[in-house]
Amino acid sequence: MNRAKNYDDKVHCIADLEKVANENLEPMARDFYSGGSMDLGTVRENQSSYDKYRLRPRVMVDVSNVDTTTTCLGAKVAFPLGFSPAANHGMAHPDAELGTSRAAAKKGVNMILSSWSNSSSKDVIDQGKNSGNAYGQQLSVVKHDPTNMSIIKNAEACGYKALFVSVDCPWLGRRLNEMKNDFRLPDHLNFPSYPWIKSDNMVSDDDRTQYHPSLKWDYIRYLKTKTTMQIWLKGILTPEDAALAVEAGADGILVSNHGGRQLDGAMSTLDALPDVVEAVAGRIPVHIDGGIRRGSDIFKALALGADHCWVGRIPLWGLAYKGEEGVSIALNILHDEFRTVMALMGCTKVEDIRPEHLARMGPDGALHKVHVNVPPKTRAILDKVVDSTTVNLPAKL
């Protein structure tokens, strides 16, 4: 029988992985990874928003060969998923970000390293030598610009392809679980990008670690003069800001709400995605993170206009379960799920995934095919990939 491949006797989906990982984690680490701001409403909606959409499969298509590969940050990747920046991998497993990087390199997917990593930028990227995957460096902009420049120049020298600037944290969100647990860095860990921080001085008025509260769009133009890396903006949720990002010279946008860790009540990333895609109008790539737990979630995000997807918590759960092997298990599961969904949807390559593959419940209680506005240039490209057996595009996609 054509039964799916089994990678582990306990973990058959990401929900299984989250469960076994949380059983292994200390309560402070578990709550840090799974938590968010205030009542966790946005954390939950990041996931539940994917369930608002239904799939509209096409049949009688030759899916003998399904190609899941795509390109991201100039690298050919196994499928449209990479690792979003997440702090403190070292609380999950001694291999920390090094284990995550090795799993990403072996699978052939990209990784964005948090500036709050427990491993150095050089050590992380060295795990992927000769693998062909690409790395990005995340930056939380602090008041002390020499600290920002040190992180940027170090990443550039190490071979990172892009700088992902978190633009949604001029202030840190109120994370009640961290307050209740008196969260602090375990004594055996540190932050190579901020070597002066220790477990007993994580809360301070030091400008070298205080988030910059007065950043404006000129800062993006300033960064463009300081590095040869691409400049991506992580944390955009509105079409207004998406348009300003393009005007400021951003090379790409990552639609993100910080995993629900900043502003509780903010819209989910999937709900925000279509308007951002429309505002950008194909001028720069649009990626998404937040709430992805299944291969079908990746498919839905791509159908709504995302060029690529990222996940932050999943590699942490993988590490907590079985270290590097656990991260690889997660990647293999998501890849298999995504490939299966593509085949059952009648898609043989990523470019085949389109808005009309989705339906959503309307005010009348009936399911309606999704329509997304796209610019004429993009429409022309999409028209070329429509097989002669499919229906014609509607006047308004």
Side-chain angles (χ1 to χ4, degrees), residues 61-70 78-80 299 335-353:
V61 178
D62 183 355
V63 289
S64 303
N65 296 298
V66 175
D67 181 7
T68 64
T69 62
T70 188
F79 68 124
F299 187 98
H335 191 191
D336 286 0
E337 288 179 355
F338 178 66
R339 182 168 45 224
T340 299
V341 172
M342 279 186 62
L344 295 178
M345 292 296 292
C347 298
T348 61
K349 54 187 180 298
V350 173
E351 293 81 2
D352 293 341
I353 302 172

Side-chain angles (χ1 to χ4, degrees), residues 45-337:
E45 284 198 5
N46 271 350
Q47 288 184 244
S48 63
S49 59
Y50 283 90
D51 296 331
K52 299 175 185 176
Y53 292 89
R54 297 292 181 267
L55 299 170
R56 302 180 67 249
R58 300 303 305 275
V59 300
M60 301 301 288
V61 178
D62 183 355
V63 289
S64 303
N65 296 298
V66 175
D67 181 7
T68 64
T69 62
T70 188
T71 301
C72 175
L73 301 182
K76 184 178 181 180
V77 293
F79 68 124
L81 187 80
F83 290 150
S84 204
N88 291 317
H89 287 219
M91 294 197 308
H93 191 273
D95 287 349
E97 290 84 3
L98 305 186
T100 305
S101 179
R102 287 194 293 269
K106 289 176 182 177
K107 185 65 182 178
V109 299
N110 295 341
M111 176 179 177
I112 308 171
L113 182 68
S114 171
S115 60
W116 300 97
S117 163
N118 302 131
S119 307
S120 74
S121 300
K122 184 179 187 305
D123 287 345
V124 169
I125 198 170
D126 280 351
Q127 310 306 305
K129 273 187 176 178
N130 305 316
S131 68
N133 67 325
Y135 289 80
Q137 172 70 62
Q138 179 267 347
L139 177 68
S140 299
V141 182
V142 296
K143 294 179 179 178
H144 188 247
D145 206 45
T147 296
N148 301 321
M149 288 301 119
S150 173
I151 295 170
I152 291 169
K153 293 302 180 183
N154 180 56
E156 185 179 275
C158 290
Y160 284 70
K161 299 298 184 183
L163 181 71
F164 285 77
V165 183
S166 290
V167 294
D168 59 352
C169 52
W171 288 34
L172 189 68
R174 289 184 61 82
R175 303 168 186 177
L176 303 185
N177 64 301
E178 295 179 25
M179 298 165 69
K180 293 172 182 175
N181 290 335
D182 189 25
F183 177 81
R184 59 188 60 239
L185 187 69
D187 291 336
H188 67 286
L189 298 176
N190 61 10
F191 297 121
S193 293
Y194 312 99
W196 52 86
I197 297 179
K198 305 298 179 185
S199 61
D200 60 351
N201 70 341
M202 290 188 67
V203 179
S204 75
D205 293 326
D206 191 330
D207 281 356
R208 295 175 298 174
T209 51
Q210 285 285 309
Y211 288 163
H212 203 312
S214 57
L215 288 183
K216 295 186 178 180
W217 294 103
D218 284 347
Y219 189 72
I220 306 307
R221 300 182 181 94
Y222 164 74
L223 287 179
K224 297 282 286 186
T225 70
K226 295 296 182 179
T227 180
T228 59
M229 292 187 290
Q230 295 179 24
I231 304 295
W232 285 63
L233 304 188
K234 179 182 183 294
I236 285 178
L237 290 177
T238 65
E240 297 93 332
D241 282 341
L244 289 170
V246 175
E247 292 176 11
D251 294 295
I253 287 172
L254 177 46
V255 177
S256 175
N257 54 31
H258 225 94
R261 300 171 70 84
Q262 278 297 96
L263 179 63
D264 195 31
M267 68 184 82
S268 76
T269 53
L270 193 70
D271 285 341
L273 177 63
D275 283 346
V276 172
V277 169
E278 182 177 355
V280 169
R283 290 173 288 176
I284 59 175
V286 175
H287 294 186
I288 186 173
D289 71 6
I292 292 169
R293 300 290 183 269
R294 299 162 292 199
S296 59
D297 295 340
I298 301 170
F299 187 98
K300 290 174 182 179
L302 297 181
L304 290 176
D307 296 298
H308 198 77
C309 300
W310 303 85
V311 291
R313 289 181 170 97
I314 290 173
L316 298 171
W317 294 330
L319 283 175
Y321 178 48
K322 283 188 176 180
E324 177 189 335
E325 180 187 353
V327 182
S328 293
I329 289 170
L331 282 172
N332 287 332
I333 288 172
L334 287 169
H335 191 191
D336 286 0
E337 288 179 355

